[in-house]
Amino acid sequence: MALIVGNWKMNGLGDSVAEIAAMAAARSDLWVAPPFTLIDRAVIVAAGAVRIGGQDCHAKVSGAHTGCVSAAMLADLGASFVIVGHSERRTDNGETDADVRAKAIAARAAGLQVILCIGETEGQRDAGEAEAIVAAQLAGSLPDSADGLIIAYEPVWAIGTGRTPTPGDVAAIHGFIRTRLVERFGPAGQGLRILYGGSVKPDNAALLLGQPNVGGALVGGASLTAASLAAIAAAAAG
Ligand code: PEP
């Protein structure tokens, strides 16, 4: 079954957890990463039916890092996963592949599952560099173990734009990522889930998620309401 993960980014106030309560009532296989400020309330209303995660974590367990949140803190709130390496973190906060790898290792040490994001910019795709960029991101940001790891392929130019790659392009690059994961992790790489992310909506989910090596979706804008995220899950389930 496809895994559908919502990334709320910097959206949502207290009343938004009602959407998570509605998701919990509707389905049991949705994951949502609300902003840090809502995680504890989201965990309560999700009541174990929706898994709640963070959108980022610090690589250190604790210390003098004003404004940052560690993986252990997320786990302490009841989060069970964390997104690392989102392109908005890489761009807005200058996060490198080495940073992303350190965060992934810290998250696993705290017992969180990791959704590790990779993806090329439009310029890189137009220059024919998409595979090289993705390969370099994997080489630099993967932890040493595949345990607890999920990959999210998110072409930067498709995030929040309403544009998506063709189904053939999605199949091609997911197949390329699969090959790299098997090279890196052996048989464990074959079993890793690879999500597609970038302008997934209820009306394109079935086509995009029906491609080989696509194990689900990481969804931004369309994850903010239970109706929309459940519709994506339903479309993916066929
Ligand atoms: C994302 O931010 O991970 C994302 C895929 O956003 P959107 O679905 O809005 O393109």
Side-chain angles (χ1 to χ4, degrees):
M1 177 179 273
L3 171 63
I4 309 299
V5 183
N7 170 18
W8 280 13
K9 312 192 185 193
M10 197 173 71
N11 295 294
L13 298 175
D15 57 0
S16 305
V17 297
E19 293 298 330
I20 291 176
M23 291 172 196
R27 299 186 57 89
S28 61
D29 54 354
L30 298 173
W31 297 15
V32 177
F36 290 128
T37 49
L38 294 181
I39 287 176
D40 53 352
R41 281 173 278 181
V43 166
I44 291 167
V45 301
V50 173
R51 290 181 58 175
I52 302 300
Q55 300 172 14
D56 178 50
C57 65
H58 198 277
K60 298 269 173 58
V61 175
S62 61
H65 303 288
T66 302
C68 297
V69 173
S70 72
M73 291 170 177
L74 292 175
D76 186 48
L77 285 179
S80 59
F81 73 95
V82 63
I83 300 168
V84 298
H86 192 282
S87 66
E88 289 156 13
R89 298 285 318 171
R90 292 176 184 263
T91 302
D92 294 356
N93 300 80
E95 291 185 7
T96 65
D97 288 330
D99 295 328
V100 175
R101 174 178 150 84
K103 289 175 182 223
I105 291 169
R108 290 301 300 139
L112 301 176
Q113 280 195 264
V114 172
I115 299 178
L116 193 154
C117 302
I118 55 173
E120 82 286 355
T121 64
E122 185 165 31
Q124 289 163 340
R125 175 158 285 262
D126 289 348
E129 296 170 351
E131 289 189 353
I133 293 297
V134 161
Q137 289 175 331
L138 288 171
S141 60
L142 286 175
D144 292 337
S145 168
D147 190 42
L149 189 61
I150 294 168
I151 305 300
Y153 167 68
E154 299 204 303
V156 178
W157 51 274
I159 294 176
T161 61
R163 299 166 54 208
T164 62
T166 66
D169 285 343
V170 170
I173 198 137
H174 277 244
F176 176 80
I177 293 167
R178 175 72 65 208
T179 301
R180 290 292 161 145
L181 293 174
V182 171
E183 284 171 7
R184 176 73 172 251
F185 296 123
Q190 194 63 51
L192 283 186
R193 196 184 282 272
I194 309 170
L195 307 178
Y196 166 78
S199 295
V200 175
K201 311 284 180 211
D203 62 358
N204 64 16
L207 188 58
L208 293 168
L209 275 63
Q211 301 309 308
N213 290 303
V214 179
L218 181 55
V219 184
S223 74
L224 294 173
T225 66
S228 174
L229 200 60
I232 289 172

